[in-house]
Amino acid sequence: MESVLGRYRNLVILMGVLFLQVLGLAMQVKRGANEASDTRLIRIWAVGLLSPFERGLVWVEDSTGNIWHNYFYLRGVRAENRELKAQIEQMRLEQVRLTEDAAQAHRLQGLLAFKEQYVAKTVAAQVIGSSGSDSSRLVYIDKGSNSGLQRDMAVITADGIVGKVLMVYPSVSQVLLISDQSSGVGAILEKSRLQGVLRGTANGEIVLERVMSDEQVAPGETLRTSGGDQIFPKGLPVGTVTRVGAGKDLFLNIKIKPAANLSKLEEVLVLVEKQEKEPAAEAAVRVRAADILAQRLPSVPEKPADAAAGTTKAAVPSATAKPKAAGTPAVQGLKGAPTNALQSATTGLQGSKVVKPVSSPPKQKVSVAPSGESNPEGSQTAPSITEQKPANSPSIQPVPPADDSSPH
Amino acid sequence: MPITYTSGEQVEVYRFSIPVTIGVPLLALFVQAFVPLRFPRFAVYVDLPLLVTIFFAMARRSPIAGLFTGAVIGLAQDMLGHNPIGVYGIAKTIVGYGASSLGVRLDVENAGARFLVTLGFYLVHSAVYFTVANVLVNMTQHWSFWHGLLAGLVNAFLGVLLYFFLDKFKQRT
């Protein structure tokens, strides 16, 4: 027996080492993927060993890159600045339209007692490493539990969602990308409003599952988070449909190009805090066009008390007058929108001759529609002041399109 | 103090200093984890820890040293991912054992032999990894022969260059 063991010593040791590893694998699989706490310690060692080097290299790379970008690569900045300014103007005009839409959506949500999740707090982090393996699509970021990160927090960029925090170490975290096979994100198609589950495939592609084959999905349609996974808030950009084909089990095979560039991630945001709010329905009705206009029109200096006595109130309100009910969510669009948005909204009204907000009956809501020129979709709606129902009326009416009789 | 593994009789057996024994695999793991951030295809086609495993196993020419080198490097590679620990470990243990056993019998010092050995062991590694991942761990891995062959050729070419560089750290016993 001893001679046999001695003769096949190498083979016996090989079998022993393999057996131990298979045993370890079996134990991990039996416990389940989510209960990886027992393997956590050795993972911490491995990550702790490599992350300082990765951190250092990223720092050197960034420093070198900053020197290049800040000092040498200034060619074309002036032209770019001009373009960006023009873009900002366009976006301001678009913002006015979106503000109106958002206000209306908030009112409707308030009426239906919907609750929405908002991104309340994010932590910026830098990507410092990856798994280095094609079968495990994850990245490491340089923030961990010391920065308030926890498991299952959403990770995004300005372009779209990236993944979720899988493991948290003191100063490093592991982020599972949405392209990994074990990842799953609730998503909704923007136009058709079809919901599905976003998953990664073995070859690194991303597909939208659970959309029935009798539904119509067109390539190019954009995809947003549905909020159903309780990780990503609703409405974050996910990607675009690139290909639609027949899948198995009566489902479509929809391939998605992610909005965020997952193969070249540098900085990401971790959503460390989400807020749940219920929009109020009554808020917007208190905002009057007169109040908005008052911000733009020159004010009449207040007369002394004795001189003012016996005179009627100034027809044009003071420019310092503030819109009412500014703190309510329904007017967040108006309040929250920068003053520039309001300025843009009233730009068309500023030079107009016929401005008679004060002639409108009291307690009537007046809404301001954006200028037709400013509408990015090209619909030619003239700036209009339209009357709506009194403030205490719960019904919501859309702003009718302006006609020629609208005051300019 | 150098670590010595001697088992070959006819062929030359090499040893490596402790910094090289620890530093080179660590550097390979680091590069494997960092480079895909800038060149995403790197992780798809290149397996530096595997090349390092093959090199050390062939140079030491001791099956036991080879299998332990493979096991340690493979397990470390497993730890960087989120899949169960041991999949790469098993694959690289077998490669380490095989490469060192082959190193005892063949002259693997010339570039042509190294190219073929690396290509062969890359395919063996892929096959073992695929089997373990699909059968034992229930990971869904797709096997593509052409992709495997292409990646094998890339690794073999890179391996020849890498071995030429790592030869400088060899110490004769």
Side-chain angles (χ1 to χ4, degrees):
Chain A
M1 182 68 184
E2 196 176 319
S3 62
V4 173
L5 281 178
R7 191 175 175 187
Y8 298 106
R9 189 174 64 113
N10 293 345
L11 213 55
V12 169
I13 292 173
L14 172 69
M15 289 303 163
V17 172
L18 288 179
F19 177 74
L20 285 176
Q21 291 185 71
V22 171
L23 202 65
L25 268 178
M27 286 167 71
Q28 290 172 67
V29 173
K30 192 184 172 189
R31 280 195 201 104
N34 292 329
E35 298 174 29
S37 56
D38 289 343
T39 57
R40 189 183 154 90
L41 190 62
I42 44 177
R43 285 198 198 269
I44 288 177
W45 292 341
V47 172
L49 204 63
L50 289 183
S51 62
F53 297 105
E54 291 172 336
R55 221 184 265 264
L57 201 64
V58 168
W59 182 83
V60 169
E61 196 183 42
D62 279 358
S63 305
T64 318
N66 282 342
I67 291 171
W68 169 258
H69 283 292
N70 293 340
Y71 296 101
F72 300 117
Y73 193 66
L74 291 173
R75 208 158 49 106
V77 167
R78 196 185 295 267
E80 191 184 359
N81 193 35
R82 241 191 336 263
E83 282 172 20
L84 288 172
K85 278 182 177 171
Q87 201 179 347
I88 287 171
E89 285 303 316
Q90 283 295 321
M91 289 175 82
R92 276 181 185 164
L93 297 173
E94 191 179 357
Q95 191 183 16
V96 173
R97 186 178 65 85
L98 294 174
T99 300
E100 282 295 314
D101 290 348
Q104 190 181 29
H106 277 122
R107 285 197 298 272
L108 289 167
Q109 285 176 341
L111 286 171
L112 296 167
F114 276 7
K115 282 189 175 175
E116 271 196 3
Q117 282 189 329
Y118 295 86
V119 175
K121 193 179 168 192
T122 58
V123 168
Q126 198 154 32
V127 177
I128 57 168
S130 72
S131 71
S133 163
D134 198 25
S135 60
S136 183
R137 295 176 194 280
L138 55 84
V139 292
Y140 286 88
I141 56 174
D142 67 344
K143 295 280 163 56
S145 56
N146 294 341
S147 304
L149 269 63
Q150 290 173 4
R151 271 192 77 157
D152 289 338
M153 281 180 169
V155 182
I156 61 170
T157 65
D159 298 324
I161 62 167
V162 169
K164 67 168 185 176
V165 176
L166 189 67
M167 298 288 277
V168 184
Y169 308 107
S171 59
V172 178
S173 295
Q174 210 178 48
V175 175
L176 185 73
L177 300 179
I178 55 171
S179 55
D180 190 88
Q181 286 184 82
S182 58
S183 148
V185 178
I188 183 167
L189 287 157
E190 206 167 17
K191 281 182 189 166
S192 55
R193 312 307 291 172
L194 295 167
Q195 294 205 28
V197 179
L198 202 73
R199 286 199 183 280
T201 61
N203 52 4
E205 288 180 326
I206 301 174
V207 293
L208 184 68
E209 293 181 344
R210 307 288 164 193
V211 176
M212 297 299 287
S213 56
D214 55 351
E215 302 286 359
Q216 294 291 321
V217 179
E221 193 170 348
T222 50
L223 200 68
R224 291 188 176 270
T225 51
S226 67
D229 50 30
Q230 301 292 314
I231 291 173
F232 295 96
K234 189 177 179 180
L236 295 175
V238 171
T240 315
V241 175
T242 54
R243 199 150 57 92
V244 182
K248 54 184 177 182
D249 298 338
L250 297 175
F251 292 112
L252 285 173
N253 181 15
I254 304 171
K255 293 200 171 155
I256 305 293
K257 183 190 176 195
N261 190 351
L262 300 178
S263 57
K264 287 194 175 176
L265 289 169
E266 289 184 25
E267 285 91 20
V268 293
L269 292 171
V270 184
L271 270 58
V272 292
E273 200 178 314
K274 286 183 283 188
Q275 208 174 358
E276 215 169 55
K277 277 198 268 185
E278 193 176 308
E282 299 292 328
V285 293
R286 291 176 185 273
V287 181
R288 300 181 305 155
D291 295 330
I292 299 170
L293 287 170
Q295 292 186 317
R296 299 291 306 161
L297 294 171
S299 63
V300 178
E302 282 193 16
K303 292 181 180 178
D306 54 340
T311 59
T312 55
K313 205 174 178 181
V316 180
S318 165
T320 54
K322 298 271 197 264
K324 290 176 186 176
T328 50
V331 280
Q332 270 186 344
L334 294 171
K335 177 209 147 197
T339 321
N340 294 334
L342 291 174
Q343 285 171 357
S344 300
T346 53
T347 304
L349 301 167
Q350 201 176 11
S352 61
K353 291 178 184 175
V354 186
V355 181
K356 296 177 182 175
V358 287
S359 64
S360 60
K363 292 187 179 178
Q364 283 196 343
K365 195 181 92 176
V366 181
S367 66
V368 180
S371 162
E373 292 173 4
S374 68
N375 193 332
E377 290 179 356
S379 59
Q380 296 295 315
T381 52
S384 61
I385 298 176
T386 53
E387 290 185 357
Q388 289 190 0
K389 288 204 170 186
N392 54 3
S393 171
S395 66
I396 294 164
Q397 291 185 341
V399 177
D403 53 23
D404 293 339
S405 63
S406 299
H408 287 267
Chain B
M1 193 181 81
I3 295 174
T4 310
Y5 303 100
T6 51
S7 68
E9 289 82 27
Q10 292 88 16
V11 287
E12 191 137 29
V13 177
Y14 296 99
R15 61 183 182 178
F16 297 93
S17 64
I18 288 177
V20 172
T21 305
I22 297 171
V24 170
L26 205 61
L27 188 68
L29 285 168
F30 167 71
V31 172
Q32 187 71 29
F34 187 79
V35 174
L37 294 180
R38 304 292 176 264
F39 304 99
R41 288 276 156 195
F42 186 87
V44 180
Y45 290 106
V46 180
D47 193 344
L48 274 184
L50 175 70
L51 299 181
V52 170
T53 302
I54 294 171
F55 173 78
F56 278 117
M58 286 194 306
R60 285 168 179 157
R61 293 192 166 98
S62 159
I64 294 174
L67 75 91
F68 276 113
T69 303
V72 170
I73 293 176
L75 290 173
Q77 198 175 0
D78 276 321
M79 286 174 208
L80 294 176
H82 72 284
N83 293 323
I85 294 171
V87 187
Y88 274 118
I90 291 172
K92 285 191 169 59
T93 302
I94 292 172
V95 168
Y97 180 84
S100 53
S101 301
L102 200 70
V104 174
R105 291 172 177 80
L106 292 175
D107 172 28
V108 283
E109 298 294 318
N110 69 73
R114 283 176 165 184
F115 186 90
L116 290 175
V117 165
T118 308
L119 175 62
F121 278 115
Y122 180 85
L123 295 174
V124 169
H125 178 270
S126 298
V128 174
Y129 183 88
F130 175 80
T131 308
V132 173
N134 281 282
V135 177
L136 290 182
V137 189
N138 205 19
M139 287 161 56
T140 313
Q141 294 288 310
H142 291 296
W143 172 263
S144 162
F145 175 76
W146 294 111
H147 174 268
L149 188 64
L150 180 64
L153 290 170
V154 170
N155 277 281
F157 178 73
L158 200 67
V160 171
L161 299 178
L162 183 73
Y163 303 155
F164 177 74
F165 172 73
L166 291 177
D167 279 341
K168 298 182 192 310
F169 298 107
K170 279 179 176 174
Q171 296 173 353
R172 288 176 195 277
T173 52

